[in-house]
Amino acid sequence: SLHLSLSSNPTSKAVMAMSRLKCALRGFDFRVILALLIGVPLVMLMIYAHGQKVTYFLRPIWESPPEPFKIIPHYYNENVTMENLCKLHGWKVRETPRRVFDAVLFSNELDILELRWNELSPYVSEFVLLESNSTFTGVIKPLYFKENRDRFRFAESRLTYGTYGGRFMKGENPFVEESFQRVALDQLIRIARIEDDDILIMSDVDEIPSGHTINLLRWCDDTPKILHLQLRNYLYSFEFFLDDKSWRASIHRYVSGKTRYAHFRQTDELLADSGWHCSFCFRHISDFAFKMKAYSHVDRIRFKYFLNPERIQDVICRGADLFDMLPEEYTFQEIIAKLGNIPSTFSAVHLPSYLLQNVDRYRYLLPGNCRRESG
């Protein structure tokens, strides 16, 4: 009975519980426990904030580089005849040039489109442009080209223009909508009456082949059926030269029933130094924010402050990354070499001629002019 009266005493229970707890914690270092309580949440926060960086840095471990391209040397000088230029490439000159079709999906890059079409205008037989009232991410947008069509009157007689009604599938992978729009562009190209062996340029608006490259390929025989173009990679303007690894632009000698508009690797042959890729080269800060939310890599906006106008302006002038990402490379050596901001270049040699002929309108694209209008 004495045992029963003791066990029913609340004070005794508390004493026994504390005794057991002391026994359990005997040998534990309270400093270690405190460090865990503070450290684990901090590690979780760092993984949330910088996990993408860790993934990109470790990319060489989990992803092998693609097979290297077979690079074709590119010869050009304005004083060399076309016959000799074709011969230098191992090709023969034609009696008449092929027709050239330049086909693009358009979002909102009015200035870059104007530079592109003026660069290519002497050599293009038909411009083909498709725009949608939907971004790849399913956000409604104006038909910017349609609203500014008068700006491109010089191309009107050679323009096949079409619109595509967006599907607005919320939560869908943006690449699905992009693929639907590329299929629609395929149909528009056929409406433009392209024929076998005509040249078809497949590239985004900001992937601009140089005019002399297209002129070479339309005048030479025995060129590859499909040929990727190596473009000089610029970010924000022609001040920040990143590398010469842009390759997605391609040239096709059209084959009915076989040629399909695509933006992935389609051959191993790459023509060196064939133009410019000016990515995120916008006049207005608002256009940067629009593209960040509109294109297929919208998942890179990890935090809302990435879209802050003051931050975007600061990033542009430093040559930093809008998404605060590490370089997308396949070796640790290449990743480490590209860490940090892109250094400025002060060369404006061999840029699109229309840009240099209209400096007052496009000064923001030239070295030393990183400040942008708000929009």
Side-chain angles (χ1 to χ4, degrees):
S1 61
L2 179 63
H3 173 73
L4 290 173
S5 63
L6 284 173
S7 61
S8 62
N9 189 321
T11 304
S12 300
K13 284 184 177 182
V15 171
M16 292 176 65
M18 287 300 296
S19 177
R20 291 192 188 99
L21 181 62
K22 287 180 180 179
C23 290
L25 293 177
R26 188 173 295 146
F28 278 86
D29 189 333
F30 280 97
R31 289 172 297 182
V32 173
I33 296 173
L34 184 62
L36 288 173
L37 290 173
I38 297 173
V40 170
L42 283 176
V43 170
M44 296 298 292
L45 180 62
M46 290 184 67
I47 290 174
Y48 175 74
H50 301 290
Q52 196 175 53
K53 287 186 176 181
V54 174
T55 301
Y56 271 75
F57 186 77
L58 297 178
R59 185 181 189 180
I61 295 176
W62 54 265
E63 187 172 354
S64 300
E67 289 295 319
F69 281 98
K70 175 187 175 183
I71 300 178
I72 299 174
H74 189 174
Y75 303 92
Y76 174 73
N77 185 284
E78 59 186 10
N79 295 318
V80 179
T81 66
M82 186 57 68
E83 182 178 5
N84 283 335
L85 287 175
C86 290
K87 185 177 180 181
L88 283 166
H89 292 84
W91 306 325
K92 296 178 181 178
V93 69
R94 295 168 54 93
E95 291 185 4
T96 57
R98 294 184 182 89
R99 294 196 306 165
V100 176
F101 287 69
D102 180 38
V104 294
L105 284 177
F106 183 77
S107 177
N108 68 325
E109 314 96 326
L110 290 166
D111 282 358
I112 293 297
L113 180 68
E114 190 167 22
L115 293 181
R116 177 194 182 98
W117 279 7
N118 276 280
E119 174 72 19
L120 298 178
S121 184
Y123 317 107
V124 168
S125 308
E126 190 75 11
F127 294 104
V128 183
L129 184 145
L130 178 76
E131 71 173 333
S132 174
N133 63 344
S134 167
T135 68
F136 294 156
T137 52
V139 177
I140 192 168
K141 76 171 189 67
L143 297 175
Y144 288 106
F145 181 85
K146 184 177 181 179
E147 294 176 359
N148 294 273
R149 191 161 176 168
D150 285 348
R151 185 171 167 181
F152 301 90
R153 286 190 302 271
F154 67 92
E156 188 65 39
S157 64
R158 295 174 287 157
L159 174 61
T160 300
Y161 170 71
T163 59
Y164 174 83
R167 296 160 53 249
F168 300 106
M169 304 291 288
K170 296 294 183 182
E172 185 179 64
N173 187 318
F175 286 101
V176 176
E177 176 65 21
E178 181 177 348
S179 67
F180 271 94
Q181 293 191 24
R182 294 193 186 279
V183 170
L185 181 55
D186 239 347
Q187 297 171 349
L188 191 62
I189 291 167
R190 291 195 292 273
I191 291 172
R193 298 185 179 180
I194 194 169
E195 297 176 357
D196 283 357
D197 208 41
D198 287 341
I199 286 179
L200 175 61
I201 304 172
M202 296 186 190
S203 70
D204 288 348
V205 172
D206 59 6
E207 297 168 336
I208 308 174
S210 60
H212 68 79
T213 296
I214 300 305
N215 198 33
L216 175 77
L217 295 173
R218 75 184 187 127
W219 270 106
C220 296
D221 251 340
D222 306 321
T223 58
K225 296 286 187 181
I226 304 174
L227 184 62
H228 281 287
L229 302 181
Q230 181 190 54
L231 307 180
R232 292 173 61 83
N233 237 339
Y234 293 89
L235 193 60
Y236 311 140
S237 73
F238 292 101
E239 176 173 350
F240 297 107
F241 172 62
L242 182 60
D243 56 35
D244 58 1
K245 293 185 177 181
S246 178
W247 55 264
R248 291 185 179 274
S250 59
I251 305 295
H252 297 245
R253 289 168 55 185
Y254 192 81
V255 180
S256 299
K258 184 176 181 181
T259 302
R260 293 288 181 269
Y261 197 95
H263 200 235
F264 50 77
R265 184 165 173 171
Q266 302 174 73
T267 184
D268 293 332
E269 295 184 288
L270 180 72
L271 184 63
D273 198 5
S274 298
W276 314 270
H277 182 189
C278 200
S279 186
F280 279 90
C281 291
F282 296 113
R283 182 187 298 272
H284 301 111
I285 293 293
S286 57
D287 290 331
F288 285 84
F290 173 82
K291 179 168 181 177
M292 291 171 74
K293 294 182 291 184
Y295 86 141
S296 297
H297 297 289
V298 67
D299 59 301
R300 294 177 178 179
I301 306 176
R302 304 193 307 281
F303 307 102
K304 286 186 177 180
Y305 80 86
F306 279 10
L307 300 171
N308 181 283
E310 292 181 0
R311 176 190 176 270
I312 292 175
Q313 178 62 82
D314 177 65
V315 165
I316 295 168
C317 285
R318 289 189 291 113
D321 191 278
L322 281 169
F323 302 97
D324 193 26
M325 291 172 54
L326 292 183
E328 298 181 73
E329 299 293 347
Y330 293 95
T331 68
F332 290 115
Q333 181 181 5
E334 290 175 313
I335 292 173
I336 293 170
K338 284 189 176 181
L339 288 175
N341 300 339
I342 306 170
S344 296
T345 177
F346 297 97
S347 171
V349 178
H350 302 307
L351 296 182
S353 60
Y354 191 76
L355 167 61
L356 299 180
Q357 290 165 357
N358 295 272
V359 169
D360 289 340
R361 290 179 58 196
Y362 300 110
R363 192 173 299 276
Y364 74 94
L365 290 174
L366 294 174
N369 297 276
C370 69
R371 301 299 302 178
R372 293 295 192 270
E373 302 170 25
S374 60

